[in-house]
Each structure stands twice: as structure tokens, then as C-alpha cells.
Amino acid sequence: MILALLLLAACAVPAPILDNPAGADPRPSDPASPPPAAGPEGEKLYQVLYATEMGTAAHASGQRVRILAWLSAMQFDAAQLAGLAELAADVQRRDAAMTFARAELDAREVARLGPIYAALEARLAAPAPMTEEESGAFAARIEAARTELYRGADPRAAHYAGVNALLGAARPWMTSITEVQRDRLAASRFFLGRRIGPFVNPGDYGALVGTMWDGGDFGSLRATVRPTDESHLDIGGLWSIETMKAGPDRHVGGLQAEAILVMALLEPEMLPAIALRQAGEHAELTTTAASATTAPPAPATTP
């Protein structure tokens, strides 16, 4: 949303410039000033956090904060939170196994296909065009190498099966939470901006979410004027336009919600953030219980 507003501001043409003659110097006489804050107190916390960080270590710290904000908004109970932690550990183990299998396959592909590609690279770098006979010979070598490499198992099918298993692993936990919580799961995009942000990976975002802001549709910006009384942690407000531009059949749900959940669980800071949330809830329960046991007895009443 912040970037969209910046883009809109960049497209605005001040009225005085329209009156300047063609030969006038278009540069303003006064230095540009920053836009005013959204409110008298400055920008809201959720907007500041959503802007994310550039560095790796700072981003990790920010991710824990964003995930904790999401966990707070989701209002999971202790059992749901424990189940989420178990699911995150399971999904990350499955993903690590898939990554290891792909690395092993990569090593075999390099050993078998590498020499062929090196020869083809050298031949294509030569000024003389390749003949049909040479091209056919290279095609036959690559085809034979792949047949040998993938004998008995199609790696693409195996990868698809692994991804499907990840989604299947998330399904039981999805059914254990409330319908309201399932509707809120898409708000995990609050900390997934680097992977499926509308401006970072717009194609992936559109394919997964199903709705996107059209960069040329400034009417969508006018339709989503931010309320003056919004909360500092109203992370769901970032996607308020989805309920306006898409009918109920296009809201995030089903496989889309499962895919978003899996991507959220694959975040390296997910498990540390859940542990922090659980520790905070445990400390609060302990404090409450201690206060109840040490409270002074009520004064006796005189009959």
C-alpha cells in the first residue's frame, strides 16, 4: 500500500508546471518536501513493519516481530498453537528432505549432462552455424543422458508429489481451527512480502491469491482510502481491497489458503516466533495463578 501511494504521488503533475512554456526550466525552484504522515502521530505500526528490511539479520528480527503480530491477530488457543508448532516442524522436515533429494539429483545431472552442455556451449560460441546433423547429434546425446538419469522415476512427478504431500500435511490442522481463523490465514502475507508480494513477485502473487492491484487503476486507490481510526496492528487492512474487487467465490480459501499456510510455515523464524508466543502465554498463566494463590483472604463478615 505504501509503494502504491508513492507510485500515485510520482504520477501527479503540479498545476504550475502545466502553465510553463515549453522552453521553461521544469526543475522546481524549491527542493521537494516529503509527503505528510498519514496521521498526526505518524505512520501506523503495521505499515512500518510491512515495509520490511534490506539486510539478512535485520530481516530475521523483523520476521519474528511480524509473525508474532500475525499470531496475536489469529488468536490461536494453546492447543491450536501447539498443533501449529508441530505442523511447522513437520513441513520444514519434509521441505528439507525435498531440498536434499534435489541437491543429489543436481549432482548427478551435472556429472552426466555437464560434459554435453560444455561441448554444446563451445560449438554454439563458434562463428560457424551448426548443421542439422550436429544439432541432431547433440539432441540424441541429451535425450540419452536424461533417459539414463531419470530411469524409473520422473523427478518432476516426484517433486509434485512432495508439494502435494506438504499441502496434505497442513489439511488436518486447517480443519481444527475455526472458520473465522481460516478466513484470516491469508493475512500471513504480512510476513511473506519477499516471496509472494504483489510488487516483488506479481505473477506468483496473482496466481496464488487470485486478485491483484492493477498498476494503472488509480480508482482502486481512491476506493481504499485508509480510515482515520485504524489500529496500529490492523494487519488485515493491507488487503481490504480484495473484498471489494472480488466476490465471495474469489476470496482466499481451499488450496490457496493451504499453499499460503505452507509458505508461512517454511519461514525460518516461524518456529522461534511460536516458541516466544508460547513462552509469553505460559508466563502470563503462571503470573495469574501465582496472583490467585497469594491473594489475601477476604475479610470476615460480621453476622
Side-chain angles (χ1 to χ4, degrees), residues 21-247:
D25 188 346
R27 292 172 297 180
S29 57
D30 298 325
S33 59
E41 309 86 9
E43 189 54 273
K44 295 299 183 182
L45 178 58
Y46 78 91
Q47 289 279 355
V48 175
L49 291 174
Y50 188 64
T52 191
E53 309 78 25
M54 295 297 293
T56 302
H59 180 67
S61 298
Q63 284 295 80
R64 288 194 297 275
V65 170
R66 282 181 283 273
I67 294 172
L68 281 166
W70 173 72
L71 291 173
S72 177
M74 292 299 297
Q75 297 181 340
F76 294 130
D77 60 30
Q80 291 171 335
L81 197 59
L84 186 65
E86 293 177 5
L87 177 59
D90 181 39
V91 165
Q92 291 183 18
R93 280 194 298 268
R94 291 171 183 265
D95 181 68
M98 292 170 61
T99 301
F100 181 77
R102 174 166 285 194
E104 283 192 324
L105 177 61
D106 182 40
R108 295 197 303 272
E109 287 178 328
V110 168
R112 190 66 182 84
L113 292 169
I116 304 174
Y117 286 156
L120 181 56
E121 179 183 283
R123 181 62 188 88
L124 289 171
M130 278 204 308
T131 64
E132 284 295 301
E133 290 76 11
E134 288 177 300
S135 299
F138 274 114
R141 290 177 63 186
I142 293 173
E143 187 176 15
R146 286 180 174 165
T147 299
E148 179 183 337
L149 276 168
Y150 309 144
R151 191 184 306 278
D154 182 350
R156 294 175 181 82
H159 181 73
Y160 175 82
V163 172
N164 195 45
L166 284 178
L167 297 175
R171 205 159 294 145
W173 182 85
M174 289 274 288
T175 61
S176 72
I177 61 178
T178 68
E179 184 176 353
V180 172
Q181 288 171 325
R182 283 195 293 273
D183 290 340
R184 292 176 180 170
L185 277 177
S188 61
R189 286 171 286 169
F190 182 56
F191 56 87
L192 290 175
R194 282 193 175 185
R195 303 177 68 180
I196 54 172
F199 296 101
V200 178
N201 295 302
D204 293 342
Y205 182 88
L208 182 61
V209 179
T211 56
M212 280 189 61
W213 170 69
D214 180 358
D217 180 14
F218 295 113
S220 64
L221 293 176
R222 290 194 298 269
T224 55
V225 175
R226 290 162 57 186
T228 57
D229 59 346
E230 64 180 341
S231 166
H232 268 286
L233 281 177
D234 181 22
I235 63 176
L238 288 163
W239 300 281
S240 58
I241 192 173
E242 288 178 0
T243 59
M244 302 177 65
K245 295 190 70 175

